[in-house]
Amino acid sequence: MSLIADRPHSRWAVFRSFELVAGLVLVGGIGLAVILSPWLFPDNGMGVNLLARLRAPFSDWSHILGTDPLGRDVLGRVVAGGRISLLVGVASVAGGAAIGVFMGLVSGFYRGVWDMIVMRFADVQLALPFILLAITFIAILGGGLFNIIMLMIVSQWVQYARLVRGQVLALREREFVLSARSFGVSNFNLIWHHLLPNLLGPVIVLITLNVATNILLESSLTFLGLGVDPSTPSWGGMLADGRTYLQTAWWVSVFPGLAILLTVLGLNLLGDWLRDRLDPTGRTRQ
Amino acid sequence: MTRWNRALRGALLTSALALVTAAQAQPAGTLTISSPQDPGSWDPIDTFLVNWSAVANNIFDGLVARTPDLKIIPGLATEWTISDDGLTYTFKLREGVTFHNGEPFNADAVKYTFDRLLGEEGAKGPQQSNYNAIDSVNVVDEKTVELKLSRPDPVLLTKLAGYGAMIVPPAYIAEKGDEYFNTHPVGTGPFTMTSYTARDAVELKAYDKFWGDKAKLENVTFRFITEPSTALAELQSGRVDMVIPPSVPIGSIPTIEADSKLEIVSTPGATVYSLRFNTRDGITADPRVRKALIMAVDRATINDAILAGQAKPIVSFQSEQTFGNDPSLEAIPFDTAGAQKLLDEAGVKPGTTLQIDVRGNDSTFNEVAQAVASYLSTVGITATIKPYETNVLLNDIIPAGRTGAMWQQAWGAWTFDYDNTAYLMYHKGERWNPYGDDPKLDALLESQRGMTNAQEREKVLQEIARYVADQALEMPLYNLNQIYAINKRVKNFIAPPDSRLRLTDVTVE
C-alpha cells in the first residue's frame, strides 16, 4: 500500500510542490504583465503629468498604485520597468550561458593548452570584484542597456564554463561515452548528442538562479546611476528616484522594490525546484 | 557664622561671575555641517565653487566683506577711497591683524596676494579673469595699499569681498609652497583649519587672535556628503546639524518640516539653473533647433510643480536681484506646435536623439531633466539623460567640450552682477564656454567691463541678455532659493543668499 501511495497519482502531482506552484505563479504573473504591458500601458510609464504628482495609491482608479514625483503612473512604470529588468536578466544569462557552455565543453573535452588558457583566464576573472569590473567597464564604454547586458555576460560566462568543464571531465570517462567513441562517433556528435544533454540539468538550475541575481545586479547598478538612463523606467532607477520621498510618498519606491522582491523570490523558488529535479547531487538530498 | 556665610557667598559670586565671563568669552560647542562637495583645493585662486566659499569664508578675509543683506563693509581694510576716474583704489589696512600662522598682515601681503592672482600662478586657475582690470598694486606704506586699474571695474569692490581676492600669507606660501597651501590654507579669518581629509571632512577651530568679534563656536566640522539622502539621514539622526545648498532636494522639504527637531531656512539667492546647448555640433548648432527645444518645454509648469515655490522662473541666466536683469525681457513662449514647425523647417527628423548631461547627485534637477525630456518627446525628440559625478562634469566634461547636446549649468553669480555670469559663460575661450565663438557677443561683453556709468553699463548687460536669448544659447530654467535644512539647536544662523557662510555669531545648544 505504502509503495503505491508514494507513487505520483497523476501527471498533475508535480504541482503539489509548493516551490513550483509559487514560483510559476510569481514569475508567470510578472512575465505575463510585462509581455502584455505595451497594450496595458501604451505610454510605457513615461507619460509625465506634472499636475498629478505624488497621488497616493488606491485613491484614484486611473493610478491604482499612485503616481511618482513627475505624475507618472507607478503601476505603469513598474510593469514597463519589468521589461528592462527581465530583458537584462534573460539576455545576459542567455549570452553568458551560451559562451560559458561552449567554452566549458571545448576545454573539458579537448583539454590541453586551450583548457589551460580558458581556466586560468577564468580564475583571474573570478578574482575581480564585480563592482570594480562594472565601474571600469561603464567608465570606458558608458552605461545603457546594451552595455549592462554585455558587462554581465563578460562577468558571468566563467561560472558556466567551470560548471560545464567539470561535468564534461566526469562524463567523458563514462562507459556510454567511451563506447560511443569506440563506435567512431565524431567529436561533434559526441559532444552534441552524448555530453550536452547530460550536463544541461545543472546548467538550467544555474541559469534560473542567475536570472534572479542579474535582475538584482541591474537594479543595483541603475540605483547607483551606472545602469540604464534615468528616463527609461527601470526598477533600480525607480528605487533611486523614490529615495527622497521615502518618508512622504513611500509608494514611489516601495512598489518597484516589491516587484524586485517577488520576481527574484519566484525565480529562486523555481530554481530550487529545478535543482531538486535536475541536479543529481540535489536529488540525493531528498 | 555670618562671616563664613559672607565668605562663602563671595566665593560663590566670584565663581559664578567667572563662569558667566567664561561663557561669554570662551568659544564653545561643535557645529557639524554637511556640504555636498569637496573643492579639492582651498587656495582662493583655484576655485569657482560656492561650496568652497561655504568653508573658506570662515578662514580667509578680503579687504572688504559683504553682509548677508549684500552690503559692503570693511574687512581687512578699515576705509578706502576710489578716485573719480575709477582707476585708483586706496585702502587703509587694519592694524594688529595676524594670519593663523602668526605672520603679520600688512600691505606686502595684499600686494603679494594680487600679484599672485594676476601672475603665472593665478593664470592656472579660474579666478584671474574676474580681476584682470587690476593693473598693479602699490605699497604706499605698511598700512596703505593702492590698486591701479587699467580700466574701471564697477564690480571690483564686491569682488574684493571674496574668492580670488581673499588675502593670503606671503611668507607661509613662500616657505611651504603652493601645493602645501592647497590643503593647509592659512588666512586671517575667525576660524583656522585644523585638519582636512580629502573627500571626507574639514575641521575648523576658533582663532583666538582674530581681529574682529571672535567666533562663539569652538569647532566647526564640514563633512562632505555628496548624496543628498545620506546628508538628510545624518541630519535626522542628529549627526549633522546643518545641510547646506544645493543638497536639500525639494522633494524632501515636507519630510524635514514634519520633524519637530528640524527646520527649513530658505532665502532667495543668486543660484540659477539652465540647460545649455552645444552650439558647435549636432542639431543644436542650428539656432532654430535650439529655439524649438526651448519652446517645446513648459518651463512655468515645471517650476510650479517640481520646485514647489522654492524657485522663480528666469528669462536670462540671472536672478531678479542681479544687476543687469531686464524685467521687460520676454520669455520664449511654450508652444509645442511652433516648436514642431521650427524643427521641421530645420530638417530635424522625428526620433532624433540628444543627450542631456546632469549632475547625478542633484535629485531635484534630475526630476526637472526628466520632465524636460518628456516635453521634448512631444516634438519627436528622444532625450537621454546622462548623470555625471559633479566634479567630473565640472572639471572634465564641460570645459573639454565633451558634453551632450544639452547640459545642466548651475551658477551662483555671487557678485549679483550679470557680468560675473555672462562673461564667464559666453566669452570665447572661457572655461564655461567650450563651444561658443561669436565676435559680436565677445565685443559686447568686453565693452561693458570698462564702463563707469552704471546706467549705460546696465543697458549693455541687458543687451547681452537679449542677444543670448535671441541666439537661444541656453534654455533658462529657474532661480532656486538657497535652502538650508538645520537642526533647531543651531542658533543665530542667518542664511546668506550666496552660500558664503560666516559662522562667527552662530551658537549651538
Side-chain angles (χ1 to χ4, degrees):
Chain A
M1 280 304 278
S2 68
L3 270 176
I4 298 166
D6 271 359
R7 257 171 33 202
H9 288 287
S10 70
R11 69 171 86 161
W12 297 110
V14 342
F15 288 109
R16 284 209 204 128
S17 157
F18 165 76
E19 286 157 350
L20 177 66
V21 176
L24 275 183
V25 168
L26 287 174
V27 176
I30 290 163
L32 201 67
V34 166
I35 290 166
L36 293 179
S37 71
W39 294 277
L40 291 173
F41 302 98
D43 71 352
N44 288 336
M46 309 267 274
V48 169
N49 178 3
L50 292 176
L51 303 175
R53 308 174 70 224
L54 299 174
R55 293 264 162 88
F58 313 116
S59 62
D60 172 0
W61 284 113
S62 57
H63 303 294
I64 296 176
L65 297 186
T67 59
D68 77 353
L70 294 175
R72 297 172 296 199
D73 184 41
V74 171
L75 179 61
R77 280 180 81 69
V78 167
V79 173
R83 219 180 305 165
I84 302 287
S85 294
L86 292 189
L87 178 66
V88 170
V90 171
S92 62
V93 165
I99 296 174
V101 168
F102 176 77
M103 294 293 210
L105 278 172
V106 171
S107 62
F109 189 80
Y110 293 104
R111 312 293 314 269
V113 184
W114 179 248
D115 181 36
M116 211 181 75
I117 294 173
V118 171
M119 284 305 121
R120 289 301 81 73
F121 192 74
D123 289 341
V124 171
Q125 174 124 33
L126 284 176
L128 278 178
F130 175 75
I131 280 292
L132 178 71
L133 185 70
I135 291 173
T136 321
F137 195 90
I138 286 160
I140 295 169
L141 297 176
L145 195 57
F146 182 74
N147 287 350
I148 293 288
I149 294 173
M150 292 318 281
L151 166 69
M152 288 178 183
I153 291 177
V154 165
S155 69
Q156 285 175 351
W157 68 272
V158 175
Q159 298 176 25
Y160 298 95
R162 287 173 71 105
L163 176 75
V164 167
R165 176 177 171 273
Q167 297 272 317
V168 172
L169 287 183
L171 286 172
R172 72 201 291 268
E173 307 302 333
R174 295 269 294 274
E175 290 82 356
F176 70 95
V177 179
L178 292 174
S179 66
R181 199 195 283 270
S182 68
F183 280 118
V185 174
S186 72
N187 280 346
F188 174 80
N189 277 329
L190 208 58
I191 291 175
W192 188 252
H193 292 293
H194 297 277
L195 293 179
L196 196 57
N198 282 298
L199 52 79
L200 268 186
V203 171
I204 290 173
V205 174
L206 188 60
I207 282 178
T208 332
L209 297 174
N210 260 350
V211 171
T213 318
N214 286 3
I215 287 176
L216 280 178
L217 277 181
E218 182 275 326
S219 301
S220 323
L221 287 174
T222 309
F223 182 86
L224 293 174
L226 298 172
V228 299
D229 151 28
S231 48
T232 316
S234 75
W235 291 341
M238 292 177 73
L239 279 183
D241 287 349
R243 257 175 318 173
T244 323
Y245 297 90
L246 206 52
Q247 292 176 30
T248 46
W250 52 270
W251 57 90
V252 181
S253 43
V254 163
F255 288 119
L258 217 56
I260 297 175
L261 173 79
L262 294 178
T263 313
V264 172
L265 183 67
L267 283 165
N268 280 337
L269 287 172
L270 273 187
D272 278 353
W273 181 81
L274 278 172
R275 171 183 289 156
D276 293 347
R277 295 249 129 190
L278 299 174
D279 185 355
T281 48
R283 192 175 288 168
T284 54
R285 254 186 269 137
Q286 259 187 350
Chain B
M1 204 56 192
T2 344
R3 205 183 304 160
W4 268 114
N5 234 337
R6 198 174 293 161
L8 193 66
R9 221 181 280 160
L12 274 175
L13 196 67
T14 332
S15 53
L17 268 176
L19 270 175
V20 169
T21 32
Q24 276 171 350
Q26 284 301 312
T30 299
L31 174 69
T32 310
I33 298 174
S34 160
S35 168
Q37 203 176 18
D38 176 1
S41 164
W42 297 103
D43 190 332
I45 60 175
D46 282 346
T47 197
F48 49 85
L49 295 171
V50 166
N51 290 313
W52 175 85
S53 255
V55 177
N57 207 33
N58 295 293
I59 302 169
F60 295 106
D61 288 307
L63 290 174
V64 297
R66 195 173 67 173
T67 59
D69 51 359
L70 307 182
K71 288 202 179 64
I72 299 292
I73 55 166
L76 290 178
T78 48
E79 55 189 281
W80 55 89
T81 53
I82 304 171
S83 67
D84 289 339
D85 61 2
L87 291 176
T88 308
Y89 286 57
T90 312
F91 292 92
K92 270 265 168 251
L93 305 183
R94 198 175 287 278
E95 304 271 344
V97 177
T98 54
F99 287 99
H100 301 150
N101 63 337
E103 203 177 322
F105 162 75
N106 53 28
D108 289 329
V110 177
K111 180 169 171 52
Y112 175 80
T113 297
F114 286 99
D115 286 351
R116 182 167 173 269
L117 168 67
L118 300 166
E120 220 174 286
E121 195 58 36
K124 294 181 204 156
Q127 282 295 324
Q128 196 182 64
S129 72
N130 283 329
Y131 297 94
N132 55 19
I134 304 172
D135 187 49
S136 63
V137 177
N138 304 320
V139 176
V140 178
D141 60 47
E142 170 82 344
K143 291 293 167 195
T144 314
V145 162
E146 198 179 69
L147 265 58
K148 283 281 187 200
L149 276 61
S150 55
R151 55 179 165 79
D153 182 348
V155 206
L156 185 67
L157 207 52
T158 305
K159 289 193 286 202
L160 292 180
Y163 290 93
M166 294 301 213
I167 305 299
V168 296
Y172 180 79
I173 298 178
E175 186 198 338
K176 307 273 188 176
D178 278 302
E179 198 71 27
Y180 188 81
F181 184 65
N182 286 344
T183 50
H184 299 80
V186 160
T188 55
F191 289 92
T192 62
M193 187 180 284
T194 49
S195 87
Y196 164 56
T197 319
R199 287 169 172 253
D200 178 31
V202 152
E203 312 239 355
L204 308 184
K205 195 174 183 347
Y207 176 44
D208 52 7
K209 299 196 188 70
F210 179 58
W211 52 267
D213 288 336
K214 291 181 182 51
K216 300 203 167 70
L217 287 165
E218 191 179 5
N219 298 299
V220 178
T221 305
F222 282 86
R223 289 174 54 197
F224 302 116
I225 306 178
T226 51
E227 184 54 48
S229 47
T230 312
L232 291 176
E234 293 286 281
L235 179 74
Q236 285 172 316
S237 68
R239 282 191 292 259
V240 154
D241 300 312
M242 188 189 295
V243 178
I244 63 170
S247 253
V248 182
I250 305 287
S252 64
I253 290 176
T255 311
I256 294 158
E257 282 173 340
D259 190 323
S260 60
K261 294 194 302 295
L262 309 177
E263 64 185 328
I264 289 281
V265 178
S266 168
T267 179
T271 309
V272 281
Y273 287 79
S274 72
L275 280 169
R276 299 185 62 205
F277 293 113
N278 178 344
T279 52
R280 191 186 63 196
D281 323 296
I283 56 166
T284 47
D286 185 336
R288 287 174 300 180
V289 175
R290 301 199 292 263
K291 201 165 270 178
L293 297 181
I294 300 172
M295 283 164 90
V297 177
D298 184 355
R299 284 154 293 145
T301 304
I302 289 180
N303 222 338
D304 294 342
I306 299 176
L307 300 162
Q310 295 287 349
K312 290 194 194 81
I314 54 170
V315 179
S316 59
F317 201 37
Q318 54 187 326
S319 70
E320 268 176 21
Q321 305 115 291
T322 304
F323 183 79
N325 187 49
D326 182 356
S328 68
L329 186 64
E330 275 184 38
I332 297 179
F334 168 51
D335 176 3
T336 311
Q340 189 68 65
K341 205 169 138 244
L342 272 176
L343 285 175
D344 292 343
E345 257 176 57
V348 175
K349 295 197 174 55
T352 303
T353 58
L354 59 76
Q355 181 181 307
I356 304 177
D357 296 345
V358 300
R359 300 183 184 187
N361 65 359
D362 186 343
S363 65
T364 306
F365 198 85
N366 274 299
E367 282 178 19
V368 171
Q370 291 190 40
V372 167
S374 116
Y375 279 112
L376 294 183
S377 73
T378 61
V379 291
I381 303 280
T382 309
T384 55
I385 295 162
K386 188 163 170 70
Y388 282 101
E389 206 212 322
T390 306
N391 286 338
V392 172
L393 183 65
L394 299 187
N395 296 325
D396 302 333
I397 303 297
I398 301 174
R402 289 166 51 204
T403 67
M406 298 165 88
W407 77 89
Q408 169 186 8
Q409 183 94 51
W411 188 252
W414 71 282
T415 55
F416 287 89
D417 187 291
Y418 187 48
D419 169 68
N420 184 231
T421 307
Y423 198 91
L424 302 177
M425 295 291 147
Y426 312 126
H427 193 278
K428 186 182 179 215
E430 283 294 329
R431 180 188 179 92
W432 303 111
N433 181 22
Y435 303 114
D437 179 7
D438 184 341
K440 195 179 162 205
L441 188 53
D442 288 354
L444 272 174
L445 286 164
E446 283 155 20
S447 72
Q448 54 84 26
R449 282 211 154 174
M451 291 180 179
T452 38
N453 184 327
Q455 270 178 338
E456 252 175 64
R457 197 169 147 268
E458 189 171 26
K459 274 212 188 84
V460 179
L461 288 174
Q462 291 177 345
E463 196 185 333
I464 292 169
R466 217 170 310 125
Y467 185 79
V468 168
D470 203 47
Q471 293 286 310
L473 297 184
E474 75 223 339
M475 179 189 293
L477 290 168
Y478 51 86
N479 168 213
L480 188 66
N481 280 0
Q482 296 284 306
I483 305 167
Y484 298 81
I486 64 176
N487 192 310
K488 286 181 182 162
R489 85 182 189 106
V490 179
K491 303 288 175 197
N492 293 331
F493 173 67
I494 299 166
D498 52 6
S499 273
R500 296 165 68 239
L501 306 176
R502 183 89 162 180
L503 299 163
T504 327
D505 292 332
V506 175
T507 57
V508 289
E509 273 174 2

